[in-house]
Amino acid sequence: SDCNFYITILSVMNFCFFHSILYYSWYFIYFQKVIKEKKDMKYVLASASPRRQELLTQAGFTFDVIPSAVDEKITKDIPSDVVMELAYQKALDVYESRIKDNPAYQTEDCIVIGADTIVSYRGEILGKPADNEEAFDMLSMLADRTHQVYTGVTFAGCIRGQQILHTFYEKTDVTFYPVTKEDLHAYVDSGDSLDKAGAYGIQGAFAIHVKGIEGDYNNVVGLPIARLYHELDSILPKEKIHYAF
């Protein structure tokens, strides 16, 4: 009868609804656990950069800071390859010399994070300026133009007995407004440009000259924190998921 038919339909709908709620509740709990494990793991930042430290802290990571003292060697020409090469050297240096055989890090999983950022314009790599004159020249070249910021990141460590060595890079396009010589001199004379690739910090006073960006803002600051988080997710050993329904 029509009544039995509708009762059957309602029963099926209730069954599906119940199992959907059960599935998504379990799914939420599982991934909350994964997120917590990811953030609670032991991390070491192989960089003294306060900007990178701030980004990791804002994202909820707990970490130690052990800057790399490696003698950096560049053998590549392409900007993306250069930052990955340098990030790799930094992370591996700290892991091999300070972490791998250190008893303080033997009781838990640990990942060393190495990072390096450069600015590139028309294929020319711009590192940190040696002095104010070089900083002024760099910024004069970048004014009213679009350049690229590359950050390479390497994870080196051990998780659940599995060796981890993983490198990636992120690129962001940055466009400046035209900048007067007076404004350039004022910024350079402030001293803010000397410890920054490309001679500027996007999060500081020079932000008033940034016309726009295409890509990850945090990558320009020094660490693509969202990409870092998802790259971590891609390399962490996964628990096999068993479905009960």
Side-chain angles (χ1 to χ4, degrees):
S1 67
D2 290 343
C3 182
N4 289 334
F5 172 77
Y6 287 117
I7 290 174
T8 301
I9 293 296
L10 287 173
S11 297
V12 171
M13 291 176 63
N14 285 333
F15 178 85
C16 293
F17 176 76
F18 171 77
H19 280 78
S20 295
I21 293 297
L22 185 63
Y23 171 78
Y24 285 110
S25 296
W26 174 87
Y27 195 79
F28 176 78
I29 293 171
Y30 173 80
F31 280 98
Q32 285 293 105
K33 177 175 178 287
V34 170
I35 291 171
K36 185 177 187 302
E37 287 179 350
K38 190 185 302 181
K39 289 187 176 180
D40 287 347
M41 189 181 303
K42 191 72 173 180
Y43 295 98
V44 175
L45 178 63
S47 169
S49 166
R51 295 168 291 279
R52 293 186 180 123
Q53 294 174 35
E54 183 179 1
L55 287 169
L56 280 173
T57 300
Q58 288 176 349
F61 288 89
T62 300
F63 57 95
D64 295 335
V65 176
I66 305 179
S68 170
V70 69
D71 183 16
E72 299 175 8
K73 294 181 175 64
I74 298 176
T75 64
K76 310 292 184 181
D77 297 314
I78 300 172
S80 57
D81 291 340
V82 170
V83 290
M84 288 194 293
E85 181 176 43
L86 294 177
Y88 177 91
Q89 292 175 18
K90 293 176 182 179
L92 198 61
D93 168 59
V94 171
Y95 179 68
E96 293 285 352
S97 65
R98 304 289 298 278
I99 302 299
K100 188 176 180 180
D101 299 318
N102 187 336
Y105 293 96
Q106 299 304 306
T107 59
E108 53 190 330
D109 297 332
C110 181
I111 289 289
V112 176
I113 301 171
D116 192 82
T117 300
I118 63 170
V119 170
S120 174
Y121 177 66
R122 293 184 176 177
E124 180 182 353
I125 294 174
L126 307 177
K128 297 175 183 178
D131 51 37
N132 282 0
E133 182 179 355
E134 187 176 12
F136 183 87
D137 291 341
M138 283 185 183
L139 293 174
S140 296
M141 179 173 63
L142 299 178
D144 199 24
R145 296 183 176 95
T146 298
H147 62 273
Q148 289 69 46
V149 178
Y150 294 84
T151 297
V153 179
T154 292
F155 303 137
C158 185
I159 303 174
R160 300 176 192 171
Q162 177 179 324
Q163 292 295 317
I164 299 295
L165 195 57
H166 179 74
T167 302
F168 66 93
Y169 79 92
E170 188 72 23
K171 183 193 81 166
T172 303
D173 291 331
V174 181
T175 303
F176 287 167
Y177 282 106
V179 187
T180 66
K181 288 184 178 181
E182 290 75 18
D183 281 346
L184 286 179
H185 279 299
Y187 177 69
V188 169
D189 290 343
S190 73
D192 189 55
S193 60
L194 292 181
D195 67 336
K196 298 174 177 64
Y200 76 95
I202 196 170
Q203 74 282 7
F206 204 78
I208 60 174
H209 303 299
V210 177
K211 186 175 184 179
I213 69 169
E214 183 175 345
D216 186 349
Y217 168 85
N218 290 322
N219 184 56
V220 186
V221 176
L223 194 66
I225 192 66
R227 175 77 182 277
L228 180 150
Y229 183 85
H230 289 281
E231 290 287 336
L232 270 175
D233 187 59
S234 73
I235 66 168
L236 293 181
K238 301 293 192 300
E239 296 179 4
K240 188 173 182 180
I241 301 176
H242 298 281
Y243 297 98
F245 37 84

